[in-house]
Amino acid sequence: MGRMTTHKIRLMKRKGKKIVMLTAYDAPTAKILSECGVDIILVGDSVGNSLLGFESTIPVTLDDVIHHCAAVRRGNPDSLVVGDMPFMTYKVSVEQALRNSARMLQEGGAEAVKIEGGGPVVDTVRTIVEAGIPVMGHIGLTPQSIYEFGGYRVQGRTAETAERLVEDARRLEEAGVFSLVIELVPAETAKMITESVGIPTIGIGAGPYCDGQVLVLWDMLGLFQDFKPKFVKQYANIRKVIVDAVTEYAREVREGLFPDAEHSFEMSEEESGRLYGRVRPSE
Ligand code: KIV
């Protein structure tokens, strides 16, 4: 497909082509996703839950995401790489947001950043975009505000709250975001938002009417199974593949079946004889 760009992502909405986005946090996985034609790789702060063993995304730092983003970049994907700005890395001041977004591009190799929030982050988004850094917005359930929401609750369920989300989406578009993640809202709300803006919307738990879809890779592969939200479709059971492989390996090691001749190296008979002539194993 050639290298994906924010410009091509914008065009996809106009052409009615669905956008495929997944998360990744390491080089080999990024390479696989790119080979599968995934349009956007999000190095999400979901790395906190998926890989780092945290219960939420709150403890994830900018250095964490930059570290994983750089690994994804080294996988050399053709997919567009978006680095997720973690909790409190863009809300202290516009200047802080600008410096940290720049680090995501310079040190992490991302081509864009993702920022959670509506109205309160609009001015920050505008400044970052004006500095030449593409921004992906994120509205609906924004996991960094989980304590404010009081849990992972569906947002935009009433006409009033849905209308507020439409307003947020329009303001973010006007501020210059090239696309917008919509998380955990009713399908009708996501449809209304999608029809109200010219930028592509990418849904997660937001029904079928968005211009694209994103899932956390570990969830859809069945690797992270601590809890499974209703919107996650599990396309594989990688946890089972790992459990089966590790159990078999442990059995073979314990029974002396691994390593066998096929997986071992040999000395020539002559050298082996010489070795036994020089060193006598203790009896
Ligand atoms: O961090 C993440 O993976 C995300 C997606 C759920 C959109 O923000």
Side-chain angles (χ1 to χ4, degrees):
M1 67 180 178
R3 198 74 175 252
M4 184 50 76
T5 63
T6 55
H7 180 69
K8 288 185 192 168
I9 293 294
R10 279 174 181 271
L11 281 181
M12 286 174 77
K13 175 161 182 148
R14 271 193 245 157
K15 291 181 180 165
K17 277 181 79 181
K18 291 277 190 185
I19 297 162
V20 178
M21 173 160 132
L22 280 170
T23 65
Y25 318 106
D26 61 80
T29 310
K31 195 166 189 298
I32 294 170
L33 297 196
S34 172
E35 284 166 8
C36 292
V38 168
D39 300 305
I40 305 177
I41 294 177
L42 171 67
V43 186
D45 60 1
S46 53
V47 69
N49 318 62
S50 297
L51 274 197
L52 304 179
F54 294 126
E55 278 184 7
S56 76
T57 59
I58 308 281
V60 176
T61 66
L62 184 65
D63 284 342
D64 288 334
V65 178
I66 287 175
H67 175 78
H68 287 278
C69 205
V72 163
R73 170 52 63 217
R74 287 191 290 274
N76 198 22
D78 281 337
S79 324
L80 184 78
V81 176
V82 178
D84 208 3
M85 298 296 289
F87 181 67
M88 276 303 144
T89 60
Y90 54 91
K91 283 193 173 164
V92 176
S93 68
V94 172
E95 190 186 325
Q96 180 225 24
L98 203 49
R99 286 192 194 289
N100 286 340
S101 304
R103 283 191 63 199
M104 195 69 87
L105 268 62
Q106 288 188 306
E107 299 170 38
E111 287 144 329
V113 297
K114 178 167 79 60
I115 284 187
E116 289 187 8
V121 299
V122 164
D123 288 338
T124 301
V125 165
R126 184 176 293 107
T127 307
I128 297 172
V129 173
E130 281 172 0
I133 300 173
V135 177
M136 172 182 276
H138 184 160
I139 58 171
L141 188 281
T142 45
Q144 290 168 21
S145 307
I146 200 65
Y147 296 135
E148 193 192 330
F149 288 126
Y152 293 90
R153 295 169 198 277
V154 176
Q155 303 296 303
R157 273 201 141 129
T158 63
E160 288 76 27
T161 54
E163 202 183 358
R164 241 177 280 147
L165 287 173
V166 170
E167 185 55 28
D168 279 343
R170 285 187 172 141
R171 290 184 64 196
L172 285 167
E173 176 177 28
E174 184 269 324
V177 299
F178 72 94
S179 61
L180 185 61
V181 169
I182 307 174
E183 179 162 355
L184 215 59
V185 304
E188 297 80 0
T189 301
K191 183 169 190 276
M192 182 59 72
I193 298 169
T194 300
E195 288 172 358
S196 304
V197 292
I199 47 166
T201 59
I202 302 171
I204 173 162
Y209 306 115
C210 293
D211 300 304
Q213 295 293 327
V214 56
L215 282 175
V216 171
L217 185 73
W218 265 210
D219 293 342
M220 62 89 83
L221 291 182
L223 192 56
F224 181 79
Q225 297 186 356
D226 289 2
F227 69 96
K228 185 178 162 304
K230 171 180 157 72
F231 62 81
V232 171
K233 180 169 176 185
Q234 203 179 298
Y235 286 83
N237 192 347
I238 297 299
R239 187 177 193 285
K240 185 175 181 313
V241 172
I242 294 175
V243 167
D244 290 351
V246 172
T247 305
E248 181 66 357
Y249 164 73
R251 185 187 68 76
E252 290 197 355
V253 169
R254 289 183 184 123
E255 293 179 10
L257 298 172
F258 176 83
D260 53 13
E262 192 188 339
H263 299 97
S264 304
F265 303 95
E266 281 175 12
M267 222 180 214
S268 67
E269 255 179 53
E270 188 191 339
E271 282 304 313
S272 177
R274 284 186 58 225
L275 176 63
Y276 271 80
R278 290 159 74 113
V279 183
R280 301 235 163 264
S282 56
E283 292 177 5

